[in-house]
Amino acid sequence: AQSVTQLGSHVSVSEGALVLLRCNYSSSVPPYLFWYVQYPNQGLQLLLKYTSAATLVKGINGFEAEFKKSETSFHLTKPSAHMSDAAEYFCAVRFSGGYNKLIFGAGTRLAVHP
Amino acid sequence: AAGVIQSPRHLIKEKRETATLKCYPIPRHDTVYWYQQGPGQDPQFLISFYEKMQSDKGSIPDRFSAQQFSDYHSELNMSSLELGDSALYFCASSLERGNRDTEAFFGQGTRLTVV
């Protein structure tokens, strides 16, 4: 079965500091992996996705993630946090074939302080 | 670009009432998904439709039903509402046919409050 684990339900960083949000997956088949961001009272916006092409994936708003098969990880990073990055971040996995049902992690709430 | 449209954005219902949520997918998308996100929770998959046929089913209560119509819009019908049904309900759409690296696009959600 496929699953996603996000380590740390809350992460707090200073403005300008490195952002690192952790995601580990479990999948018996090659996974497709996604990071979504959710601002308060908003929908889910796709940040980036891994679909078995390049292992380093660049997304919107300066975020990137690296797929590491040996570590079954897909951590999200951003070199310099901005106040506007404060939001809930969800890692998600879906089957590499078939329909697009997403399995989400529990989410990580990112706080950015001055 | 056109996005996934959900209506209404907010809905307040009393216990034991019925609610209908609507979703209009991105034009030419053939698949619709429904997710439920409880307070402080991650989104949970409820049900999906591909070309108007149910394609997958998740943790959807028997009190809920859904369908996809000929114009590809979908409706989630919820009966005998309970307080625990209060949540943000997301619809997402994607183009699956002939598209290996597809992605799902989410609507803004419908916030249902049961009182």
Side-chain angles (χ1 to χ4, degrees):
Chain A
Q2 297 189 336
S3 65
V4 171
T5 302
Q6 291 184 241
L7 299 176
S9 59
H10 291 81
V11 171
S12 181
V13 300
S14 299
E15 190 173 21
L18 171 71
V19 175
L20 171 60
L21 305 182
R22 300 178 186 274
C23 173
N24 288 89
Y25 68 90
S26 172
S27 176
S28 57
V29 297
Y32 283 6
L33 294 159
F34 304 80
W35 275 100
Y36 285 86
V37 60
Q38 184 178 30
Y39 297 99
N41 299 312
Q42 296 292 316
L44 294 163
Q45 181 181 8
L46 181 68
L47 276 177
L48 48 80
K49 64 179 180 179
Y50 167 75
T51 57
S52 74
T55 56
L56 181 61
V57 182
K58 294 186 183 298
I60 62 172
N61 301 339
F63 284 94
E64 63 181 38
E66 185 173 7
F67 173 72
K68 291 187 177 180
K69 185 177 180 180
S70 61
E71 299 177 9
T72 60
S73 68
F74 190 57
H75 301 331
L76 181 71
T77 61
K78 182 174 180 178
S80 177
H82 191 273
M83 297 294 288
S84 61
D85 294 327
E88 185 92 20
Y89 292 81
F90 292 97
C91 183
V93 64
R94 78 166 177 92
F95 296 97
S96 58
Y99 302 110
N100 208 6
K101 177 177 70 177
L102 290 166
I103 299 170
F104 287 88
T108 297
R109 183 169 297 278
L110 175 66
V112 182
H113 51 84
Chain B
V4 177
I5 306 297
Q6 290 187 246
S7 69
R9 290 293 310 277
H10 301 274
L11 189 59
I12 299 175
K13 290 286 186 178
E14 295 187 354
K15 284 191 301 183
R16 294 180 288 279
E17 284 193 317
T18 297
T20 297
L21 278 54
K22 297 185 178 183
C23 170
Y24 298 87
I26 292 173
R28 292 182 295 280
H29 278 192
D30 52 24
T31 307
V32 166
Y33 310 81
W34 285 97
Y35 291 84
Q36 177 192 57
Q37 185 180 28
Q41 303 293 314
D42 56 291
Q44 295 289 318
F45 172 73
L46 292 178
I47 195 167
S48 64
F49 293 88
Y50 170 69
E51 286 291 345
K52 293 155 281 184
M53 298 289 289
Q54 182 180 309
S55 55
D56 201 353
K57 193 172 181 179
S59 51
I60 183 169
D62 292 340
R63 299 178 289 106
F64 294 7
S65 64
Q67 58 182 323
Q68 186 178 30
F69 294 86
S70 57
D71 64 351
Y72 291 92
H73 95 272
S74 178
E75 295 184 3
L76 177 66
N77 297 292
M78 310 159 69
S79 62
S80 303
L81 287 170
E82 302 173 356
L83 295 178
D85 296 329
S86 296
L88 191 56
Y89 290 84
F90 286 111
C91 173
S93 74
S94 65
L95 177 63
E96 294 294 329
R97 183 192 296 272
N99 193 1
R100 181 171 174 270
D101 294 337
T102 185
E103 66 181 77
F105 293 83
F106 283 79
Q108 295 281 37
T110 293
R111 183 168 296 282
L112 171 67
T113 302
V114 182
V115 297

